[in-house]
Amino acid sequence: MKIGVYPGTFDPITLGHADIIARAAKLVDRLVIGVTTNASKSPMFSDEERIAMVMREVSGLGENIEVVGFRSLLVDFARQQSASVLVRGLRSSIDFEYEYQMTGMNAQMAPDVETIFLMSDVALQPISSSLVKEIAKFGGDISKFVSASVKDDVLGKV
């Protein structure tokens, strides 16, 4: 069984994330969405809220998707899940530079875990969780970037 892990903070989950999840789920037998916290960011949503939000958003995307929270090194989490693949989404060359370095570090720690990159759909490439939160804080319309239920979640926090 081919198991993949798609990690992220998902604060909040965007249409770009959902696109990567739907496409990645077709490439593996089981896709584990690992919801974590980035220590360098101040999340809008708690761990529990983000996990629940991601679970709700992926509920119709396939039976082979599972959502799990984690607070450890990504490669350790991947091993706990028996994953052989890490899925990473790329929006731009800036993402690539960061992901290239992370892939090298992960390969040193877990050579048995391969990283694959999926490019975001062209229409979804500019979307980031940080920008969604910023637009919402200043009263902008985020409905093109997140689902209606996530929009309600975000607006309830600003």
Side-chain angles (χ1 to χ4, degrees), residues 11-50:
D11 186 48
I13 184 171
T14 67
L15 295 178
H17 292 130
D19 174 61
I20 296 293
I21 292 165
R23 292 170 38 219
K26 296 175 186 175
L27 301 175
V28 294
D29 299 309
R30 180 173 155 244
L31 180 64
V32 179
I33 309 206
V35 180
T36 191
T37 299
N38 185 332
S40 66
K41 296 180 182 179
S42 298
M44 175 179 273
F45 297 95
S46 70
D47 292 355
E48 295 78 18
E49 289 171 321
R50 288 182 289 114

Side-chain angles (χ1 to χ4, degrees), residues 52-66:
M53 186 184 314
V54 172
M55 289 175 90
R56 181 187 69 219
E57 294 300 305
V58 304
S59 65
L61 294 181
E63 298 288 321
N64 66 328
I65 300 173
E66 180 181 356

Side-chain angles (χ1 to χ4, degrees), residues 2-18:
K2 180 72 68 182
I3 300 171
V5 167
Y6 178 45
T9 55
F10 306 104
D11 186 48
I13 184 171
T14 67
L15 295 178
H17 292 130

Side-chain angles (χ1 to χ4, degrees), residues 62-135:
E63 298 288 321
N64 66 328
I65 300 173
E66 180 181 356
V67 180
V68 179
F70 76 101
R71 286 183 177 256
S72 65
L73 287 174
L74 175 55
V75 293
D76 292 340
F77 177 68
R79 283 187 177 125
Q80 290 169 358
Q81 299 302 314
S82 301
S84 59
V85 176
L86 297 176
V87 177
R88 302 297 291 165
L90 293 176
R91 294 171 298 178
S92 67
S93 60
I94 295 169
D95 284 349
F96 178 79
E97 291 296 324
Y98 173 78
E99 294 296 342
Y100 180 78
Q101 185 176 17
M102 290 298 289
T103 298
M105 296 296 285
N106 288 338
Q108 292 292 318
M109 294 183 288
D112 54 322
V113 179
E114 192 64 53
T115 300
I116 63 169
F117 298 102
L118 294 177
M119 295 296 298
S120 296
D121 181 280
V122 174
L124 303 173
Q125 283 179 357
I127 301 172
S128 76
S129 295
S130 298
L131 290 175
V132 166
K133 291 184 287 191
E134 186 173 338
I135 292 166

